[in-house]
DNA sequence: ATTATAAACAGAATAATATTCTTAGAATAA
DNA sequence: TTATTCTAAGAATATTATTCTGTTTATAAT
């Protein structure tokens, strides 16, 4: 059996998914504990895989990547080997930050972050449409983003 | 004028968006520098807003949130005040981790992370459909995720 | 109930790292 | 050339992470 999370664990996770640079002491103070049990719990959460990694979130626009686009894709063939190949190819495109196999009106939904419309068109023409078995492609250009977070809802635990 | 990034800055950003727990020394070694200039550059990147925050990325499924869903939404009214109200409401829903205003077949595209299909249905029935002016709602249920990262493409700089 | 066993914790000690400081070397502009 | 600014190196210091030891608390078996 796996490890099961208690209240304190979820509080720690909640804090770290907001700001992973908090010191152990500051977290311990907030929870009314000392540093050692908090430290041990964090290490356990990392080891057990509840925490996958620690990352810096960059400002896309400030860095020059001003456009987010979602692309709904339909494939013409659906053999297992072909689906796998499609995902493998997609993984090599750095402008694609998400690729989901979905049920509904599309087979795949991609999320891209690119410089601008030209960069997007370049992706479509010289990368995406070169993939075989590609069927319908529908783009959703992001005009503005009202919410975008990594914080998942831990209140259910 | 803003600050402009050089090669070393983008290398630092690239490293930190993969793993923000790297020590200054380990980054400095990789770049063939000493810790102080690397430290100062990181502080500058934070201060100038290129780095927005440092976060822990959690394992959704392991925590019990096994389902990712995208929802394409059409509104019946498009006045400014109504669009703003819609986004405000959406921001109060913890299961919604992204909300994008898009052009194309929908007005908004949402990304949700929830426990399971029941939790998703509960969101639709007791939260989403209570919003006024709601038009068409189309769900894309994620079957599997082939790629999901925070790493944006810095090679363009 | 009671004893054995394992977890979880507190508090102190130590090790590693971040942060600051001082100085020197390059680049830049007058 | 000569200030002037920027960037870096290296050492000194301050914080913080990490380890360690002993104690308490919970847990489970008898």
């Amino acid at each position: 059996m796996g490890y099961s999370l208690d209240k304190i664990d979820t509080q720690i996770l909640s804090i770290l998914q907001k700001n992973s640079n908090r010191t152990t002491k500051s977290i311990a103070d907030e929870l009314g504990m000392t540093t050692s049990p908090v430290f041990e719990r964090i290490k356990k959460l990392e080891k057990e895989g509840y925490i996958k990694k620690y990352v810096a979130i960059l400002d896309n626009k400030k860095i020059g990547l001003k456009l987010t686009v979602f692309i709904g894709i339909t494939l013409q063939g659906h053999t297992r080997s072909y689906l796998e190949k499609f995902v493998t190819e997609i993984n090599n495109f750095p402008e694609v930050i998400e690729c989901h196999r979905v049920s509904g009106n599309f087979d795949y939904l991609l999320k891209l972050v690119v410089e601008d419309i030209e960069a997007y068109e370049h992706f479509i023409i010289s990368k995406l449409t070169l993939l075989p078995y590609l069927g319908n492609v529908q783009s959703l250009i992001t005009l503005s983003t009202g919410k975008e977070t990594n914080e998942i809802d831990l209140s259910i635990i």
Side-chain angles (χ1 to χ4, degrees), chain A residues 85-104:
Chain A
K85 190 164 162 47
F86 178 79
V87 171
T88 302
E89 293 290 341
I90 289 296
N91 262 276
N92 291 329
F93 299 147
E95 49 275 86
V96 178
I97 63 170
E98 295 185 30
C99 170
H100 305 270
R101 174 100 167 94
V102 295
S103 78

Side-chain angles (χ1 to χ4, degrees), chain A residues 73-78 100-109:
Chain A
I73 293 178
T74 305
L75 299 185
Q76 291 180 346
H78 294 88
H100 305 270
R101 174 100 167 94
V102 295
S103 78
N105 280 348
F106 306 117
D107 292 326
Y108 286 95
L109 184 67

Side-chain angles (χ1 to χ4, degrees), chain A residues 33-80:
Chain A
M33 301 168 76
T34 55
T35 65
S36 20
V38 171
F39 177 80
E40 284 161 11
R41 279 170 180 268
I42 292 173
K43 289 304 150 190
K44 179 176 277 184
L45 291 167
E46 292 168 358
K47 189 173 189 179
E48 300 279 338
Y50 292 97
I51 296 172
K52 289 203 287 189
K53 55 183 176 176
Y54 297 96
V55 304
I57 303 295
L58 309 185
D59 188 321
N60 300 352
K61 292 191 180 174
K62 195 142 194 168
I63 285 168
L65 299 170
K66 300 188 190 304
L67 185 61
T68 298
V69 184
F70 291 89
I71 310 181
I73 293 178
T74 305
L75 299 185
Q76 291 180 346
H78 294 88
T79 66
R80 168 187 264 271

Side-chain angles (χ1 to χ4, degrees), chain A residues 6-7 12 14 17 20 44 46 65-66 76 80-82 91 104 119 127 131 142 146-147 150:
Chain A
D6 66 11
K7 175 84 175 189
I12 291 173
S14 174
Q17 77 171 166
S20 62
K44 179 176 277 184
E46 292 168 358
L65 299 170
K66 300 188 190 304
Q76 291 180 346
R80 168 187 264 271
S81 78
Y82 182 61
N91 262 276
K127 293 189 177 182
L131 299 179
T142 295
K147 183 175 190 177
N150 57 286

Side-chain angles (χ1 to χ4, degrees), chain A residues 135-154:
Chain A
N136 188 39
V137 173
Q138 180 178 316
S139 297
L140 298 171
I141 309 283
T142 295
L143 304 174
S144 68
T145 294
K147 183 175 190 177
E148 190 167 33
T149 181
N150 57 286
E151 291 177 41
I152 61 176
D153 179 22
L154 301 180

